Amino acid sequence: SSDSISCTYSYNISLVSNGGSQTIPGTDKTYSITAYNTIEWTPTYVGGTLYVLLTKVSGSWTYLDSQVIVSNCTINYGCMGTQVSGGPVNQSGSKNPTSNSFSYNTGFTQSVGVGLLGCNVGNSMTLTLKRGTASTWTLVVENRPFVTVS
């Protein structure tokens, strides 16, 4: 007789190129806050290539430890790479949200090709955390679903 073993694997696969948004959560090393970094984009297909335009960046954070405060938050976002016409495009912005929930329209106008030279689309969120006067540390939450590594 032949004995056989079968395995079935289940994967949850996020097809980011079909969507229009992605949220990445992050918790600091002391489990004092959880932060959420969200980006929204508009996808366009030109000649079989996916082009994306970063339209909005937003985020928030919630406190898990009442002794900790966020003393500073900086976001750096960009939509860089090769535009439909073939030339390079470098769109970037930076904000310092003061509220624990924020949303900004990027104002960007040029879509960039996913997988093409220089593609880097997303948002980096850096929070400086503080407990009393003694210690400060940082939490960085990256949300960059479209990056071409050359």
Side-chain angles (χ1 to χ4, degrees):
S1 73
S2 67
D3 294 331
S4 66
I5 299 172
S6 80
C7 292
T8 303
Y9 294 95
S10 174
Y11 296 100
N12 289 319
I13 299 172
S14 171
L15 297 174
V16 292
S17 62
N18 292 338
S21 70
Q22 174 172 282
T23 299
I24 301 291
T27 301
D28 72 296
K29 62 185 180 183
T30 67
Y31 300 100
S32 298
I33 72 160
T34 297
Y36 300 90
N37 181 347
T38 300
I39 65 169
E40 296 179 29
W41 65 87
T42 301
T44 310
Y45 283 90
V46 180
T49 298
L50 171 65
Y51 287 82
V52 294
L53 173 64
L54 183 67
T55 55
K56 185 183 279 189
V57 291
S58 59
S60 64
W61 61 85
T62 55
Y63 292 98
L64 308 174
D65 180 343
S66 60
Q67 304 296 307
V68 171
I69 62 163
V70 172
S71 61
N72 186 62
C73 176
T74 303
I75 60 169
N76 292 290
Y77 51 93
C79 187
M80 295 162 269
T82 305
Q83 58 189 311
V84 176
S85 65
V89 62
N90 189 349
Q91 305 163 118
S92 62
S94 181
K95 300 279 187 190
N96 288 95
T98 53
S99 161
N100 72 332
S101 181
F102 60 86
S103 179
Y104 301 104
N105 292 317
T106 65
F108 297 159
T109 58
Q110 297 293 326
S111 299
V112 298
V114 174
L116 301 183
L117 186 66
C119 179
N120 191 337
V121 178
N123 181 37
S124 177
M125 180 178 176
T126 304
L127 299 108
T128 303
L129 309 179
K130 197 172 181 182
R131 179 181 281 114
T133 55
S135 59
T136 63
W137 63 99
T138 58
L139 168 63
V140 178
V141 184
E142 293 278 355
N143 190 350
R144 296 188 180 276
F146 305 109
V147 177
T148 300
V149 180
S150 53

